[in-house]
Amino acid sequence: MLDNVLSNALEVSPDGGMISVGVGAGRSDEVVLEVRDQGPGMSPAEQSRAFDRFWRGQGLTGRSGSGLGLAIVKQLLTDDGGTVSLRDAPGGGLCVRIGLRLSPRQAAPRSGG
């Protein structure tokens, strides 16, 4: 999943552009991974279709890809109780947010000691 999201970010980012990856806590039962690029971003209409199979954004015309990557990412995540969403990145570009479900043992509250 991460390979696909990073590959997409590299493909759309301009030469010398920066891609940032962050990890943090989400809800009590998840960890969140965010990948932000400095590419052209996506309109709200494009974001709503980005997880459809075989759909490719207009900014990728002529580049490699089948339009299956994000659809597969979403399927793998949701099959395991995770989430994926898109939003505009601050300063331009796109932010892909992945929520990974923790195992029950990892999500259990820790007692003070």
Side-chain angles (χ1 to χ4, degrees):
M1 293 178 291
L2 185 56
D3 180 60
N4 179 272
V5 172
L6 288 171
S7 293
N8 286 351
L10 285 167
E11 189 167 327
V12 300
S13 291
D15 290 342
M18 186 182 343
I19 296 167
S20 63
V21 178
V23 178
R27 301 181 317 253
S28 63
D29 63 342
E30 77 174 351
V31 65
V32 173
L33 173 72
E34 287 190 347
V35 176
R36 296 177 183 183
D37 66 50
Q38 293 180 326
M42 289 184 175
S43 70
E46 289 174 315
Q47 289 180 25
S48 71
R49 296 209 51 213
F51 298 107
D52 293 349
R53 290 178 184 216
F54 304 110
W55 184 85
R56 295 182 64 215
Q58 290 183 352
L60 297 179
T61 303
R63 300 210 182 167
S64 64
S66 63
L68 288 173
L70 287 178
I72 292 170
V73 166
K74 183 175 183 176
Q75 187 67 53
L76 290 171
L77 282 164
T78 57
D79 284 353
D80 195 41
T83 60
V84 61
S85 60
L86 304 174
R87 64 181 170 90
D88 295 335
L94 189 68
C95 176
V96 180
R97 182 188 185 278
I98 295 172
L100 299 168
R101 185 177 57 112
L102 296 173
S103 71
R105 181 173 172 211
Q106 291 170 317
R110 297 179 185 196
S111 60

